[in-house]
């Protein structure tokens, strides 16, 4: 048997059981699943969850040292799997394959800037829960109710900047606008390690901005939707 | 899931280790050719068909090894990302050498220059061989431009692998004609 080329964790098929569902907002919820005995992963990795005939990919928000697995799920209208997960009874069993992905934290001497839109914050939650700290986190959301995990980030980030696109009843605690607006106006020119997770458009726009304003920085990306 | 992000629309691309580079960079040229080589080996596999499971399995292992080398080329040596790639070891090179020796034992003696071609699988193997040689030249060009002193071991072992792979593909072309009972055409002056 020849040695595998990629070290890391090897993707395998597992079965897990739903332990808990906790609503984070009226659109999103976190589910807790049992962790199979031999399942290992690195913060930032994702699993492919199956329910009946549908498969979807979800980043883990738990820490590898947690006794269970946790996923953050946005209840998408007409989303077959998310709708199923939103009302499947506790005790239901799921198959999943994983872990997958290379969107993992790589310590360096440059400051880390995490940029997320919506549930794209999930891999950063897992990293923060696993001891990564001192980062800048920009979290772009439509409204303040989408800012779940605030407690996790406030205790680990050097700077946590919720960027809210909705203009109504906005507190001064939030940046009004998109994450790219914040980066353009407020992040000092320099070399950073950017970690981008979320919408394709955000990833494209931030990448171009990095090319212009932060050339020489590193960029790691995970596209969510 | 849509596969495009558009981050390469302005002529730059991202390395596995996070750097942004021009798509005309020597490093990108090198792993672009690696991709072409891997695709041609895929065509070779397709032309063999599933009934030739042993050579197919061997070629698919080589395709996986080429992915590893591509990942190495897409990663700067001093990056923490390098820790996630074990790279190419002596065992990968010996795998090619042992296979070459096995095929040579089954083949008639070489009596001159062979015209590339014969069975379609052999023709694909020759195509792969020539692209493999170009890939090697691109890697050397990249290493020469990037490292004033000696290139890191991981790159040097990859270079040895690619050099050996060209030999493998030459013998594999001959072996394919042998497998399908197609006679080799020698060069006539």
């Amino acid at each position: 048997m020849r040695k595998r080329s990629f070290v890391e964790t090897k993707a395998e098929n597992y079965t897990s059981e739903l332990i808990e569902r906790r609503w984070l907002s009226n659109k999103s919820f976190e589910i807790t699943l049992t962790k199979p005995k031999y399942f290992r992963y690195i913060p930032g990795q994702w699993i492919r969850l199956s329910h009946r005939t549908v498969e979807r990919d979800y980043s883990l928000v738990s820490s590898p040292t947690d006794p269970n697995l946790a996923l953050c799920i946005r209840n998408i209208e007409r989303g077959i799997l998310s709708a199923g997960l939103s009302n499947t009874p506790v005790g239901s069993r799921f198959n999943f394959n994983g872990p997958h992905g290379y969107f993992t934290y790589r310590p360096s001497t440059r400051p880390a800037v995490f940029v997320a839109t919506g549930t794209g914050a999930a891999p950063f939650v897992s990293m923060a829960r696993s001891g990564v700290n001192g980062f800048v986190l920009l979290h772009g959301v439509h409204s303040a109710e989408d800012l779940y995990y605030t407690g996790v980030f406030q205790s680990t980030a050097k700077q946590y900047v919720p960027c809210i696109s909705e203009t109504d009843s906005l507190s001064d605690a939030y940046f009004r606008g998109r994450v790219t607006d914040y980066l353009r106006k407020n992040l000092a020119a320099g070399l950073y390690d950017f970690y981008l997770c979320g919408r394709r458009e955000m990833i494209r726009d931030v990448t171009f901005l990095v090319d212009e304003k932060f050339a020489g920085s590193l960029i790691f990306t995970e596209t969510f939707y | 899931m849509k596969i495009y992000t558009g981050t390469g629309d302005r002529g730059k691309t991202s390395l596995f280790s996070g750097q942004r580079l021009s798509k005309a960079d020597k490093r990108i040229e090198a792993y672009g050719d690696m991709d072409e080589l891997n695709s041609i080996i895929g065509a070779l596999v397709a032309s063999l068909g599933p009934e030739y499971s042993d050579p197919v399995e061997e070629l698919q292992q080589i395709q996986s090894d080429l992915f590893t080398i591509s990942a190495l080329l897409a990663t700067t040596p001093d990056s923490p990302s390098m820790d996630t790639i074990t790279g190419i070891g002596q065992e990968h090179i010996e795998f090619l050498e042992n296979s070459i020796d096995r095929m040579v034992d089954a083949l008639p003696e070489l009596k001159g220059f062979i015209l590339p071609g014969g069975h379609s699988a052999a023709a694909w193997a020759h195509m792969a061989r020539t692209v493999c040689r170009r890939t090697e030249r691109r890697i050397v060009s990249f290493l020469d431009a990037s490292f004033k002193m000696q290139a890191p071991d991981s790159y040097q072992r990859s270079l040895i692998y690619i050099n050996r792979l060209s030999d493998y593909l030459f013998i594999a072309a001959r072996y394919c004609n042998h497998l399908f009972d197609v006679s080799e055409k020698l060069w006539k002056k």
Side-chain angles (χ1 to χ4, degrees), chain A residues 2 5 106 200 207 211 219, chain B residues 18 20 61 68 81 86 92:
Chain A
R2 301 177 70 209
S5 299
R106 306 157 203 216
R200 290 176 293 130
T207 299
D211 286 343
I219 306 180
Chain B
R20 295 278 290 166
Q61 180 57 57
T68 299
S81 304
T86 54
H92 296 84

Side-chain angles (χ1 to χ4, degrees), chain B residues 5-144:
Chain B
T5 58
T7 54
D9 288 353
R10 296 180 185 175
K12 285 190 172 187
T13 190
S14 301
L15 296 184
F16 180 58
S17 47
Q19 292 83 356
R20 295 278 290 166
L21 289 185
S22 161
K23 289 184 178 180
D25 190 276
K26 285 178 185 292
R27 184 187 282 272
I28 312 302
E29 295 271 16
Y31 72 69
D33 278 14
M34 189 70 72
D35 191 23
E36 183 181 349
L37 168 61
N38 209 338
S39 301
I40 294 173
I41 293 176
L44 166 55
V45 168
S47 70
L48 280 170
E51 61 270 36
Y52 293 94
S53 58
D54 284 353
V56 162
E57 200 175 305
E58 192 167 291
L59 287 163
Q60 286 174 337
Q61 180 57 57
I62 290 168
Q63 288 188 293
S64 294
D65 293 344
L66 293 180
F67 265 124
T68 299
I69 297 176
S70 295
L72 278 171
L73 290 170
T75 308
T76 52
D78 55 348
S79 155
S81 304
M82 198 54 108
D83 297 343
T84 64
I85 309 166
T86 54
I88 293 295
Q90 185 59 30
E91 72 273 20
H92 296 84
I93 295 160
E94 284 172 7
F95 170 77
L96 291 180
E97 290 173 345
N98 293 338
S99 181
I100 291 170
D101 294 344
R102 256 197 327 273
M103 288 191 286
V104 165
D105 285 346
L107 291 171
E109 194 184 339
L110 191 60
K111 290 179 176 158
F113 286 108
I114 301 166
L115 299 185
H119 188 271
S120 63
W124 280 119
H126 278 297
M127 277 289 292
R129 173 182 59 82
T130 58
V131 173
C132 189
R133 283 293 178 211
R134 172 164 29 94
T135 304
E136 182 185 16
R137 293 193 295 273
R138 298 272 202 211
I139 296 173
V140 170
S141 170
F142 155 62
L143 295 180
D144 286 351

Side-chain angles (χ1 to χ4, degrees), chain A residues 125-198:
Chain A
V125 177
S126 180
M127 292 177 197
R129 284 175 167 168
S130 307
V132 176
N133 57 35
F135 50 87
V136 173
L137 172 72
L138 311 183
H139 190 188
V141 292
H142 179 65
S143 65
E145 70 159 12
D146 299 322
L147 292 171
Y148 16 92
Y149 301 119
T150 299
V152 176
F153 293 133
Q154 280 176 339
S155 61
T156 50
K158 181 181 165 196
Q159 195 182 354
Y160 170 52
V161 186
C163 301
I164 299 185
S165 51
E166 185 186 68
T167 51
D168 297 344
S169 62
L170 203 57
S171 141
D172 289 343
Y174 308 128
F175 176 79
R176 188 185 301 235
R178 301 193 313 157
V179 291
T180 40
D181 298 328
Y182 183 89
L183 288 170
R184 190 174 284 113
K185 290 174 190 165
N186 298 307
L187 189 69
L191 295 177
Y192 301 90
D193 287 355
F194 287 94
Y195 292 77
L196 318 179
C197 185

